[in-house]
Amino acid sequence: MKVTVHRKAHFNAAHRLYNADWTDARNAHVFGKCANPNYHGHNYELIVAVRGEIHPETGFVMDMKVLKHLIETEIEAVFDHKNLNEEVPVFKTLNPTAENIAVVIWNILRPHIEEVLELSVTLYETPRNFVSYSGA
Ligand code: NI
C-alpha cells in the first residue's frame, strides 16, 4: 500500500527566457514578454510529492519536518528572491523555463530522499500554468 505525501512551498524569483544562439527577434517571437532583457518575476508555488510505503514504526511515508527542512535549505534558500539567470549557476546555460526549473529542483532533492521513495515535483509559474516532473 503506497501513500503520497505532499509538501507545498513558495519562492519569488526573476528570470528571462532567452536562447543565446538566436537573434533578439526570434527570442522575442518565441518567448514574448518573457524575453524582456530586464527580467520579470514570478511567484512560484512548489509541490513536492513523496510516495512510498508507510513505515510501520512511525506511520510516516516520510517525516514532513525533514521534507520541510530539506525544501527550505536546498530550494528556497537557493531560489527565493533571486534572479535565476544571474544568481543560480545552472541557469547561466539553461533556459529557466518552468520545465527546466522543475527538473533542476527534482535533481537537487533526489539524492536527499531515500531511494525507495518516489519523488515528484510540481511547479506553478502562474496559478494556471504548471509543470510536473517525476524523473526520466
Ligand atoms: Ni516568465
Side-chain angles (χ1 to χ4, degrees):
M1 180 179 64
K2 289 191 174 180
V3 176
T4 307
V5 298
H6 301 79
R7 173 74 193 176
K8 283 185 176 179
H10 176 86
F11 57 90
N12 301 314
H15 74 169
R16 178 194 187 194
L17 300 184
Y18 183 76
N19 184 327
D21 294 334
W22 293 355
T23 62
D24 287 348
R26 188 171 179 196
N27 272 290
H29 178 71
V30 173
F31 297 120
K33 289 179 181 173
C34 285
N36 175 4
N38 294 319
Y39 305 98
H40 63 277
H42 289 284
N43 295 313
Y44 290 96
E45 294 286 346
L46 173 66
I47 300 172
V48 176
V50 176
R51 179 172 173 79
E53 300 287 341
I54 298 174
H55 194 282
E57 290 180 312
T58 61
F60 294 157
V61 170
M62 179 175 179
D63 187 333
M64 293 298 256
K65 295 188 300 295
V66 173
L67 184 57
K68 173 178 185 275
H69 183 71
L70 192 56
I71 295 168
E72 283 172 355
T73 55
E74 300 295 326
I75 306 301
E76 293 174 27
V78 177
F79 289 80
D80 193 31
H81 287 78
K82 295 292 168 62
N83 178 319
L84 298 179
N85 304 69
E86 297 289 332
E87 296 178 279
V88 181
V90 68
F91 296 117
K92 292 271 186 204
T93 53
L94 182 67
N95 209 14
T97 59
E99 291 89 329
N100 281 330
I101 299 168
V103 171
V104 166
I105 290 172
W106 189 95
N107 285 334
I108 293 170
L109 293 177
R110 182 66 271 187
H112 295 279
I113 293 168
E114 274 185 83
E115 267 182 48
V116 68
L117 299 173
E118 298 163 34
L119 173 65
S120 180
V121 165
T122 302
L123 184 70
Y124 284 75
E125 191 170 75
T126 72
R128 292 173 187 273
N129 293 346
F130 60 99
V131 304
S132 59
Y133 181 64
S134 305

